[in-house]
Amino acid sequence: WDLFLAVGHGMEPSFLAEAMKATREFFNLPLEEKQKYSNIVDGEKLGMDGYGNDMVVKENQVLDWNDRLNLLVEPEALRTYRLWPTQPPSFRDILSEYTVRCKAAANLVFRNMAKILNLQEEHLVNMIGENSITQAIFNYYPQCPRPDHVLGLKAHTDGSIITVNFADAEGLQLQRNGVWYNVPIVPNALIMNVGDIMEILSNGFFKSLVHRVVTNAEKERLSLVLVYTLELETELEPVSDLVDDKRPARYMKIKLHDYMEKYHDTYATGTLAIDGVKI
Ligand SMILES: O=C(O)CCC(=O)C(=O)O
Ligand SMILES: [Fe+2]
């Protein structure tokens, strides 16, 4: 339940292929072209958005073998179009359409998860509303000569309610009971996983998935990831209907904005933010 493959999402294989192609074309651009969308301006990282990997902020930071483009896609009013690629020319329209169509699939999942939690079907959809933040993350993992020594993406959980991932090759692995398992690629299926926010809201019923990406000597790999979160001002805590004398709150209340700060700090050092809010 912390990861599943979704096939009934309604997106045609041709549309998904187009989205993947536009992503590939972006990463294939010359570096100078991609750096026009850099997430670093005058040596300072101003926000989450833009092209480029994490800033090195810690001495012992573990680096990832990937190249990344982050773009806030929802709410629309907060988009920074300056950082949205204009190459390939179809990129912007495809991303806008992908955002809308993935949201429809995500809403189905939110409704079903609410039902599983014995909440009103619309509980999570209403909580998410129109102003919650959705971040798109495009990952490119080049071939790696030493896959036995290098991870594409270090072990982490996502700071999301759920994450929706469309990848073109194997490489994603999930951890269960200390063992790593490969997530298979099913053509045209979306990979969905539970993130920290859902673990907290559900008071631990759903567990945030520990996952990582391994590298490959022969093949490069791409993934298009949408991270669904809430409004930054939300007081994040277990849903009150899921807390009672028998099931006391297992997570401290924290403003999402503060949680995200902790998340980025712990991500850099390879530890888990969620462990810091468990009671
Ligand atoms: O590349 C992938 O399949 C996973 C990426 C991922 O876990 C992330 O961006 O949080
Ligand atoms: Fe992730």
Side-chain angles (χ1 to χ4, degrees), residues 173-219:
Q173 296 188 328
L174 64 83
Q175 194 185 53
R176 198 160 284 159
N177 300 322
V179 181
W180 288 104
Y181 297 91
N182 292 323
V183 177
I185 290 293
V186 171
N188 303 307
L190 298 175
I191 303 165
M192 300 197 179
N193 66 268
V194 170
D196 293 1
I197 297 177
M198 183 58 105
E199 175 168 337
I200 295 170
L201 293 176
S202 72
N203 201 19
F205 182 89
F206 292 113
K207 290 281 186 284
S208 190
L209 180 77
V210 178
H211 55 287
R212 68 180 186 185
V213 178
V214 294
T215 48
N216 188 306
E218 277 93 47
K219 264 201 291 193

Side-chain angles (χ1 to χ4, degrees), residues 153 156-158 163 172 193 209 211 225 263 267:
L153 206 55
H156 66 283
T157 60
D158 294 334
T163 301
L172 180 63
N193 66 268
L209 180 77
H211 55 287
V225 173
Y263 180 86
Y267 187 87

Side-chain angles (χ1 to χ4, degrees), residues 33-53:
E33 194 60 36
K34 288 182 283 193
Q35 290 207 317
K36 290 184 185 158
Y37 312 102
S38 173
N39 60 5
I40 293 171
V41 177
D42 296 333
E44 242 187 291
K45 185 162 170 166
L46 299 174
M48 277 288 291
D49 271 22
Y51 168 74
N53 217 302

Side-chain angles (χ1 to χ4, degrees), residues 77-90:
L78 296 184
R79 288 181 182 179
T80 308
Y81 284 115
R82 182 174 54 79
L83 295 173
W84 284 47
T86 51
Q87 288 298 329
S90 59

Side-chain angles (χ1 to χ4, degrees), residues 145-166:
R146 294 303 302 271
D148 49 336
H149 283 278
V150 181
L151 284 176
L153 206 55
K154 57 186 163 286
H156 66 283
T157 60
D158 294 334
S160 63
I161 311 172
I162 63 164
T163 301
V164 175
N165 180 350
F166 180 56

